[in-house]
Amino acid sequence: MAVLRLSGPQAGVALTALAGRLPEPRRAQLARLRDPATGEVLDQGLALWFPGPRSATGEDMAELQIHGGRAVVAAVLGAVLTVPGLRPAEAGEFTRRAFLNGRMDLTEAEGLADLIAAETQAQRRLAFAHAFGHLGQQVEAWRGRLIRAMALVEAGIDFADEDDVPAGARALAKPEVAALLEELTAALADRRGALVREGALIAIAGLPNAGKSSLLNALARREVAIVSDEPGTTRDLLEVALDLDGHKATLVDTAGLREAESRVEAEGIRRARARMAQADLVLWVHDLSDGPAPAEPPVAAEAPLWLLGNKVDRAAGLPAPVRSWAGHQLTLSAARGEGLEELTGALSRFIAERAAGEHPALLRARHRASAEEARAQIAHALAQWDRLDDELLAEELRLAARALGRMTGAIGVEDLLDVVFREFCIGK
Ligand code: GDP
């Protein structure tokens, strides 16, 4: 089956021209579709009519559900395009029009793009919440509170002659603005949404030959890394995207962290360290045939560090858990595939716990930049609170509100639209 969607003032004209008449609004109706020029029946299908503004784009919309064959689609599309004023839509144009007509805010449009692109169930759930206003409502609530605080401060300007009003109103606004600062700071620190959208970054680290590439291969179930007995063969970062029980994770094999012998390897090590610094979790692979794991973690990582004792098939007797490692400890054999299920289970539980809960997260760099700008502006306003006069203080708060407004598209976003809607495909 194919669906043709038409939007704009000519949608009704085109539908009438092909189907003979307009169906009852929002009800599917069986219709013979004719070429308006020749009268030839091109196909039989379902016609729907959504008069604006109660439509997806806010404009008049028509939809034709027709047979999916190439010739049928070409014939019906060709006939539709003979109607003056109609042209093929650009990528994301339906969503863009919906935004411009106030049917959705910018975060919802982004959520829709994410929903279409979602690969895992966790991504789908998060994107769905965004597509239907989760973040947008939160941001509008923040902005509303700022605007109220601004009005209180401005009350001081309007009633400048009445002595008690200014001080009283400003005093009322201050705790509200301080609370907002705390909420924005917490939202910026919250990585849960990004963890779901972009996936958890899991770095595999360890000495050369510990079995890092073998582990990556075993988890990816395909050959992506070169496994060799030669220390230092993993010259580049190798990344694999995994779906761990509905959670996206990116696994990075870091180059053997040791003194570099060649420049290429030094670069690999530099990048490995940088990637490890961003990781949500570091897996330290230790070769058990070299003896027990070191008592202390050999690298400092901000993220939790798990100890994986590899080559358990070669180790005589299992070593006792190392007490000083705070994180999880597992033994496995990457080469034989032993202990991998336990590992993937632990990984997916780790991500699920971190990503837990329904939360209006700041998902994208764009959201974070707006929130950060608003946060900095509010912090500045609070720091200057008693020194600034009412007008300047109100202006500071207005700038913070503007920064938030850009996130939902309530304010000045013309320059952003191309960036946001470029992600969509035709027909969305
Ligand atoms: P890396 O340098 O840490 O990436 O280590 P590799 O994955 O290249 O592995 C180094 C060597 O150890 C290779 O010869 C692997 O076949 C071998 N190896 C990896 N895992 C195991 C294992 O679980 N058992 C045994 N016996 N050998 C392994």
Side-chain angles (χ1 to χ4, degrees):
M1 194 191 74
V3 177
L4 295 187
R5 298 173 82 200
L6 319 178
S7 183
Q10 291 298 88
V13 175
L15 189 58
T16 312
L18 268 84
R21 63 193 172 94
L22 284 181
E24 219 181 298
R26 290 177 293 281
R27 292 205 187 277
Q29 186 168 322
L30 193 63
R32 293 219 153 161
L33 304 174
R34 291 173 192 275
D35 185 330
T38 62
E40 182 194 355
V41 176
L42 303 173
D43 193 17
Q44 175 165 298
L46 289 180
L48 292 115
W49 168 235
F50 304 96
R54 281 182 59 196
S55 73
T57 57
E59 304 170 334
D60 284 351
M61 285 190 80
E63 201 172 290
L64 293 172
Q65 301 182 8
I66 58 178
H67 292 103
R70 213 185 316 162
V72 174
V73 174
V76 178
L77 192 57
V80 166
L81 289 176
T82 62
V83 177
L86 287 186
R87 61 163 172 80
E90 287 162 19
E93 191 171 357
F94 286 87
T95 314
R96 186 179 193 129
R97 289 187 180 200
F99 166 73
L100 292 173
N101 291 322
R103 300 295 288 175
M104 58 168 67
D105 75 33
L106 217 46
T107 63
E108 291 175 312
E110 288 167 326
L112 193 59
D114 280 351
L115 186 61
I116 295 164
E119 289 170 349
T120 68
Q121 297 308 321
Q123 286 177 324
R124 176 187 59 72
R125 276 191 289 275
L126 183 67
F128 188 85
H130 273 242
F132 292 91
H134 214 137
L135 175 61
Q137 284 157 17
Q138 170 69 80
V139 173
E140 281 305 291
W142 282 333
R143 199 165 71 97
R145 282 160 62 189
L146 263 180
I147 290 169
R148 272 197 304 281
M150 208 165 78
L152 283 174
V153 172
E154 279 177 339
I157 307 170
D158 297 341
F159 301 99
D161 301 336
E162 298 163 44
D163 278 351
D164 345 325
V165 180
R170 274 172 83 122
L172 275 179
K174 194 173 179 183
E176 179 69 10
V177 174
L180 205 55
L181 178 67
E182 251 174 58
E183 282 182 40
L184 274 170
T185 307
L188 276 161
D190 187 345
R191 280 255 311 138
R192 290 175 301 177
L195 195 73
V196 173
R197 181 170 188 267
E198 283 142 38
L201 184 66
I202 302 174
I204 307 181
L207 297 178
N209 252 353
K212 299 181 294 297
S213 319
S214 309
L215 178 63
L216 186 81
N217 285 337
L219 289 174
R221 292 190 200 88
R222 61 194 157 103
E223 291 292 311
V224 287
I226 312 146
V227 180
S228 115
D229 277 323
E230 191 95 1
T233 38
T234 310
R235 288 264 161 79
D236 214 340
L237 298 181
L238 290 162
E239 305 207 358
V240 174
L242 298 178
D243 180 341
L244 292 167
D245 293 341
H247 294 280
K248 187 176 169 193
T250 303
L251 220 58
V252 191
D253 178 12
T254 61
L257 288 173
R258 55 176 204 140
E259 288 309 307
E261 277 161 19
S262 71
R263 275 233 310 271
V264 183
E265 208 178 307
E267 172 61 15
I269 290 172
R270 193 192 61 72
R271 287 171 54 193
R273 285 196 199 280
R275 209 74 171 109
M276 248 172 75
Q278 302 168 338
D280 298 295
L281 175 67
V282 177
L283 304 178
W284 181 267
V285 182
H286 170 72
D287 182 346
L288 289 173
S289 65
D290 280 351
E296 293 290 329
V299 285
E302 257 183 54
L305 190 68
W306 289 6
L307 174 59
L308 306 186
N310 188 32
K311 310 194 191 178
V312 67
D313 54 298
R314 276 219 215 139
L318 290 184
V322 185
R323 282 186 201 283
S324 53
W325 289 62
H328 225 63
Q329 300 184 25
L330 292 167
T331 51
L332 51 95
S333 168
R336 296 197 182 186
E338 285 164 29
L340 289 182
E341 261 178 45
E342 202 186 325
L343 175 60
T344 51
L347 290 176
S348 79
R349 280 194 301 279
F350 172 82
I351 304 173
E353 276 166 25
R354 296 227 142 184
E358 294 240 329
H359 38 88
L362 302 167
L363 285 188
R364 299 175 174 238
R366 192 182 80 73
H367 304 155
R368 306 185 73 78
S370 287
E372 182 49 50
E373 192 185 328
R375 198 201 61 79
Q377 196 67 52
I378 292 172
H380 188 251
L382 279 169
Q384 309 280 318
W385 197 273
D386 297 323
R387 262 168 292 176
L388 292 177
D389 69 24
D390 291 335
E391 244 160 285
L392 282 176
L393 185 57
E395 183 56 24
E396 294 269 324
L397 298 177
R398 181 174 299 113
L399 288 174
R402 279 188 70 89
L404 289 178
R406 277 176 69 83
M407 208 183 323
T408 53
I411 279 174
V413 288
E414 295 73 19
D415 49 328
L416 273 178
L417 296 187
D418 286 334
V419 177
V420 171
F421 293 104
R422 197 162 49 203
E423 279 180 37
F424 284 87
C425 49
I426 308 281
K428 293 288 178 323

